[in-house]
Amino acid sequence: MAFIVLQYRAAVPRALVAGNLWPEASDQGANTNLRSALARLQGLGKQALNICPAELRLAREVTVDLFGARSLARRVLDPHVPVKDLDLDVAAVDQLSADLLPGWYDEWVLPEAEQWRQLRLHALEALTGAFIGLKEFAWAVTAAHAAVQADPLRESSQASLIRAHLAEDNRSEALCDFERYEQHLRDELGLRPTPRLCRLVSELQRSRPDKCPGKERTR
């Protein structure tokens, strides 16, 4: 079912489905496995597919949360769509916060999962900027945190979070998040933040507050 869903309503030849789901089997064995799997479908599972002799496809009336989330991400990233037309709220963050099939490592899943991860991270970062523009700072921080949680070492997501804090005049939180990221980046990869990120907090560092909670500085 997941394999068919990821074809985005296209008709998929049975041989392609069988070959991807049972790559170690012979063609005959893979096709036999597919027939057996389809025969075992019951209830809603069977209704969700249009099963034809030569191909399979998702039933027209079936809705898929991934399709809606992908459409939202593209609209958020489209420079020709005004922010006021997006009808944004915190539910948009929820739609963009889930990984695709977490815990699945099949070869046919991984490229789709990575493509979705990149799309939703860019959308969450853009969403943060949109919320800042709307002065919805709590939502901006929520969106940025979702991006950071998805990839703690991604600098553009950290920059979005710091900008959200600065927009709300939470300078201490901005500096603390920067310093935690700086430490994490050094510990994990032996790297330092780029000058662009450093410039966001350079003024704050010149009047550094007390040590940030949850962060131990190393020398």
Side-chain angles (χ1 to χ4, degrees), residues 2-187:
F3 183 86
I4 298 300
V5 167
L6 292 182
Q7 309 312 308
Y8 302 96
R9 300 199 183 279
V12 188
R14 281 181 175 245
L16 180 63
V17 179
N20 276 275
L21 297 185
W22 293 277
E24 304 301 324
S26 65
D27 290 348
Q28 181 177 355
N31 286 321
T32 299
N33 289 340
L34 178 59
R35 285 195 299 272
S36 176
L38 293 173
R40 291 197 302 272
L41 283 177
Q42 300 293 327
L44 292 177
K46 192 169 186 177
Q47 296 173 32
L49 293 180
N50 286 335
I51 302 173
C52 302
E55 61 189 26
L56 307 172
R57 71 187 310 157
L58 197 65
R60 187 177 301 276
E61 61 272 17
V62 174
T63 59
V64 180
D65 56 356
L66 175 63
F67 296 173
R70 184 183 289 270
S71 176
L72 170 64
R74 288 171 173 162
R75 288 192 297 118
V76 169
L77 292 169
D78 188 343
H80 300 103
V81 178
V83 172
K84 61 182 178 61
D85 293 345
L86 291 173
D87 193 25
L88 296 174
D89 58 25
V90 74
V93 178
D94 292 337
Q95 279 190 274
L96 299 171
S97 293
D99 286 327
L100 174 62
L101 297 174
W104 290 44
Y105 300 103
D106 305 77
E107 288 187 6
W108 54 270
V109 171
L110 296 179
E112 290 281 349
E114 177 59 18
Q115 184 182 49
W116 168 238
R117 190 182 76 89
Q118 288 293 333
L119 179 62
R120 75 182 185 87
L121 284 174
H122 282 95
L124 284 167
E125 291 165 5
L127 200 58
T128 301
F131 283 143
I132 291 173
L134 295 171
K135 300 189 183 304
E136 297 285 359
F137 300 120
W139 295 357
V141 170
T142 299
H145 269 302
V148 168
Q149 184 177 13
D151 188 347
L153 294 174
R154 183 181 172 95
E155 183 165 306
S156 54
S157 296
Q158 294 286 343
S160 292
L161 179 58
I162 291 169
R163 290 191 184 98
H165 286 316
L166 291 175
E168 201 174 11
D169 290 329
N170 288 326
R171 296 178 297 168
S172 177
E173 291 187 36
L175 184 55
C176 288
D177 277 327
F178 171 82
E179 293 190 337
R180 278 190 287 266
Y181 173 66
E182 181 183 40
Q183 185 72 55
H184 190 196
L185 191 64
R186 182 187 301 120
D187 292 344

